[in-house]
Amino acid sequence: SQKKTRFQDIVDELFRDTGKKMIRTENELRFTQIGEVLLPYQLSSGEKQILAILLTVLVEDNQPYVLFMDEPEVSLHVDWQQRLIDLILELNPNVQIILTPHSPAVIMNGWMDHVTEVTDITV
């Protein structure tokens, strides 16, 4: 499927600086790095975090749903924080994202106008 291939391309692009690449010929989620095979538990905490978020989005298969995330930027490199919302929406444009970040980087990539602060919500 195109979404699965795009997911793999995104992960390979994000992990490029560490030399990690997804193994695409298997039904299992595995990576290579300098000739060594790695399982997801061997990834860094930031790599595990971005992988979990993007997999969650991918399995929804373009269906409309609400994605709740509390501090999704924890352990993510600032570049990944800035791209997070765009990557989620690329994999599923039908998702509504509700998140509570502590880092302003998550919303600085053009998302400030879409933010509603909790203190602005009235009953």
Side-chain angles (χ1 to χ4, degrees), residues 2-57:
Q2 290 179 350
K3 288 289 181 185
K4 178 182 173 187
T5 301
R6 183 59 190 136
F7 165 80
Q8 293 168 327
D9 292 343
I10 289 169
V11 172
D12 281 347
E13 178 188 333
L14 293 171
F15 291 9
R16 182 180 307 133
D17 290 344
T18 64
K20 294 181 184 88
K21 192 168 176 94
M22 289 188 79
I23 298 173
R24 299 181 184 213
T25 57
E26 301 176 4
N27 278 339
E28 204 174 318
L29 190 57
R30 298 181 346 152
F31 302 84
T32 60
Q33 183 183 37
I34 314 169
E36 183 180 343
V37 174
L38 302 173
L39 297 174
Y41 79 88
Q42 294 172 295
L43 300 174
S44 73
S45 60
E47 291 167 338
K48 290 176 193 173
Q49 177 77 345
I50 195 77
L51 194 60
I53 292 169
L54 296 179
L55 277 169
T56 299
V57 174

Side-chain angles (χ1 to χ4, degrees), residues 36-97:
E36 183 180 343
V37 174
L38 302 173
L39 297 174
Y41 79 88
Q42 294 172 295
L43 300 174
S44 73
S45 60
E47 291 167 338
K48 290 176 193 173
Q49 177 77 345
I50 195 77
L51 194 60
I53 292 169
L54 296 179
L55 277 169
T56 299
V57 174
L58 181 69
V59 298
E60 291 300 328
D61 199 26
N62 270 345
Q63 295 300 309
Y65 76 104
V66 179
L67 177 64
F68 292 92
M69 295 185 289
D70 182 28
E71 297 183 56
E73 76 279 5
V74 172
S75 300
L76 296 185
H77 186 281
V78 70
D79 292 340
W80 292 5
Q81 292 177 24
Q82 292 173 344
R83 296 184 59 199
L84 182 63
I85 294 174
D86 292 328
L87 292 173
I88 290 169
L89 290 172
E90 181 178 346
L91 287 176
N92 185 347
N94 299 312
V95 64
Q96 178 181 1
I97 303 168

